[in-house]
């Protein structure tokens, strides 16, 4: 799908104001490892070569006749992010100098799937392609953020509306594999949720830990949990709902009208409760859950399963950042093994 237009783009919002970046108090460690070549350097090289697919798209299918400014707005060290201001409005652009288009293709498919639910606001993706200097880019709708993360009640309600609106007849998984942080996330379609979560979420992370750290203790206990966790799902009605997949505070904002905005997804179709797996650094409060469960009723055994969904993300953080997250993951596994008498 490299160099494929995701959408026949209409003109974007005419807002050209620079974004107001928010400061997140409960921010987890960055998922970044090695910084790619700077965006400014890539842009300069492309300009010298006379080959700039970003500008070419903006000035043709983006319906702009003039680019009035390009400003950096962060993005960390996995990706760089820029705002392109034009006479047709502003565009948000992310680039990566090391990774091909597949990462952004997965993001774009997830954003478009969420956008099509007409529930919670997400930036609409326009174009994914390869850079002539190496790497890739994604162009999407520019959303100016408001001063806060927005109303917790509205966030819970709209997230539940998305889960309710988007179900898959293919089972659990997604159209492509994608990434959770920089970790591969396998999304092979699977008919059974417990099988999917066991193999492609917990099992995959445990295998990575063994390969990277040689930690056989957490692997062996984790496999025991996987083999014995079926009773945790008794009485629950599970459907393959469209999930954002990586919903922590850094991926939640609001627009200038105060409406919730979610971004940077790791989408797949899964049990809706798995969406709360990053709740330990998302800041969800009572108003969020009350509004959510008014639309998507709480299932029997929700409290018993909650930590099982946290475990996936703790294991991923162990893989990304090292042993600082091992004790949290092991504590969850040990608690479940005692509960299940396994």
């Amino acid at each position: 799908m490299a160099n494929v237009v995701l959408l026949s783009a209409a003109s974007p919002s005419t807002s050209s104001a620079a974004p107001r970046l928010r400061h997140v108090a409960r921010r987890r460690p960055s998922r970044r490892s090695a910084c790619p070549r700077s965006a400014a350097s890539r842009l300069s090289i492309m300009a010298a070569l006379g080959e700039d697919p970003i500008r070419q798209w903006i000035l043709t299918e983006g319906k702009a006749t003039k680019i009035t400014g390009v400003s950096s707005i962060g993005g960390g060290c996995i990706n760089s992010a820029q705002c392109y201001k034009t006479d047709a409005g502003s565009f948000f652009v992310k680039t990566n100098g090391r990774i091909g288009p597949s990462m952004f293709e997965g993001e774009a498919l997830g954003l478009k799937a969420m956008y099509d639910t007409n529930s919670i606001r997400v930036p609409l993706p326009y174009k994914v392609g390869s850079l002539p200097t190496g790497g890739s880019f994604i162009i999407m709708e520019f959303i100016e953020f408001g001063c806060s993360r927005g109303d917790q009640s509205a966030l819970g309600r709209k997230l539940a509306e998305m889960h309710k609106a988007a179900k898959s007849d293919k089972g659990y998984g997604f159209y492509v594999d994608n990434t959770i942080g920089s970790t591969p996330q396998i999304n092979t379609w699977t008919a059974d949720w417990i099988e999917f979560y066991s193999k492609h979420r917990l099992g995959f992370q445990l295998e990575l830990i063994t390969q990277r750290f040689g930690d056989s203790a957490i692997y062996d206990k984790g496999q025991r949990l996987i083999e014995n966790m079926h009773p945790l799902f008794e009485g629950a009605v599970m459907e393959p709902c469209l999930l954002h997949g990586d919903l922590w505070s850094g991926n939640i904002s609001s627009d200038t009208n105060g409406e919730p905005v979610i971004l940077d997804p790791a989408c797949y179709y899964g049990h809706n409760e798995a969406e709360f797996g990053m709740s330990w650094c998302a800041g969800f409060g009572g108003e969020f859950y009350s509004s959510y469960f008014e639309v998507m009723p709480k299932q029997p055994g929700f409290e018993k399963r909650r930590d099982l969904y946290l475990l996936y993300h703790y294991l991923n953080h162990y893989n990304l950042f090292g042993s600082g997250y091992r004790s949290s993951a092991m504590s969850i596994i040990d608690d479940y093994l005692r509960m299940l008498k396994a």
Side-chain angles (χ1 to χ4, degrees):
M1 288 179 58
N3 257 352
V4 64
V5 176
L6 297 161
L7 186 68
S8 180
S11 295
S13 166
T14 56
S15 170
S16 60
R20 286 180 283 179
L21 300 180
R22 62 203 181 282
H23 296 283
V24 180
R26 297 181 61 197
R27 193 173 183 88
R28 64 182 171 179
S30 171
R31 284 175 167 173
R32 290 30 174 167
S33 51
C35 291
R37 177 191 294 162
S38 73
S41 173
R42 287 195 298 273
L43 293 174
S44 298
I45 294 171
M46 289 190 297
L49 293 172
E51 299 179 23
D52 189 338
I54 299 170
R55 287 177 177 268
Q56 289 171 7
W57 187 92
I58 289 174
L59 294 172
T60 54
E61 296 183 65
K63 308 295 172 53
T65 61
K66 180 172 60 176
I67 296 173
T68 58
V70 180
S71 57
S72 175
I73 50 177
C77 287
I78 287 183
N79 304 309
S80 298
Q82 299 84 36
C83 174
Y84 279 67
K85 297 179 182 179
T86 81
D87 58 351
S90 296
F91 296 86
F92 181 73
V93 178
K94 289 199 295 187
T95 59
N96 188 291
R98 296 177 295 113
I99 301 174
S102 61
M103 178 179 68
F104 287 143
E105 287 165 0
E107 178 178 354
L109 286 171
L111 287 170
K112 186 62 166 60
M114 293 192 296
Y115 183 91
D116 285 345
T117 66
N118 196 32
S119 53
I120 193 165
R121 189 171 186 191
V122 299
L124 178 62
Y126 296 135
K127 171 74 173 178
V128 171
S130 299
L131 294 171
T133 53
S136 54
F137 69 90
I138 180 171
I139 305 172
M140 66 182 78
E141 176 188 7
F142 176 84
I143 298 176
E144 184 178 354
F145 293 155
C147 297
S148 72
R149 293 177 60 217
D151 179 73
Q152 284 274 301
S153 179
L155 175 62
R157 182 181 70 256
K158 288 182 175 291
L159 185 66
E161 289 171 356
M162 183 183 83
H163 291 167
K164 188 174 183 178
K167 308 287 177 65
S168 170
D169 59 4
K170 295 178 178 291
Y172 301 95
F174 200 56
Y175 308 102
V176 296
D177 294 340
N178 48 27
T179 56
I180 181 79
S182 58
T183 308
Q185 184 167 258
I186 308 303
N187 294 317
T188 304
W189 292 111
T190 307
D192 180 76
W193 168 248
I194 300 176
E195 179 185 349
F196 177 87
Y197 193 67
S198 297
K199 180 177 181 180
H200 299 307
R201 294 298 179 261
L202 299 184
F204 182 78
Q205 292 285 345
L206 289 167
E207 289 174 3
L208 284 182
I209 287 170
T210 302
Q211 294 168 12
R212 294 176 179 178
F213 304 105
D215 191 341
S216 59
I218 197 169
Y219 177 85
D220 292 342
K221 286 189 173 183
Q223 290 297 328
R224 281 169 54 199
L225 171 57
I226 288 171
E227 293 166 4
N228 290 277
M229 69 184 192
H230 285 71
L232 298 173
F233 295 88
E234 290 177 356
V237 177
M238 293 170 288
E239 297 179 288
C241 303
L242 179 63
L243 308 182
H244 175 282
D246 191 17
L247 203 59
W248 66 289
S249 58
N251 291 341
I252 302 169
S253 188
S254 65
D255 63 19
T256 53
N257 295 319
E259 291 297 314
V261 178
I262 56 177
L263 55 151
D264 291 341
C267 285
Y268 65 99
Y269 289 88
H271 185 205
N272 66 301
E273 294 173 7
E275 192 77 283
F276 310 134
M278 283 296 295
S279 61
W280 49 280
C281 59
F284 298 145
E287 291 183 354
F288 169 87
Y289 286 108
S290 294
S291 294
Y292 181 89
F293 289 130
E294 286 178 5
V295 180
M296 291 285 287
K298 184 187 293 188
Q299 293 291 312
F302 169 76
E303 286 79 11
K304 289 184 179 180
R305 288 185 296 274
R306 181 179 293 191
D307 284 358
L308 191 68
Y309 292 131
L310 301 185
L311 179 59
Y312 171 57
H313 294 278
Y314 276 121
L315 291 172
N316 185 45
H317 277 60
Y318 183 3
N319 273 308
L320 290 171
F321 305 121
S323 59
Y325 288 91
R326 183 184 189 276
S327 61
S328 296
M330 186 65 95
S331 177
I332 291 174
I333 293 171
D334 285 338
D335 286 347
Y336 274 119
L337 291 178
R338 283 191 292 271
M339 178 194 304
L340 297 165
K341 298 180 171 57

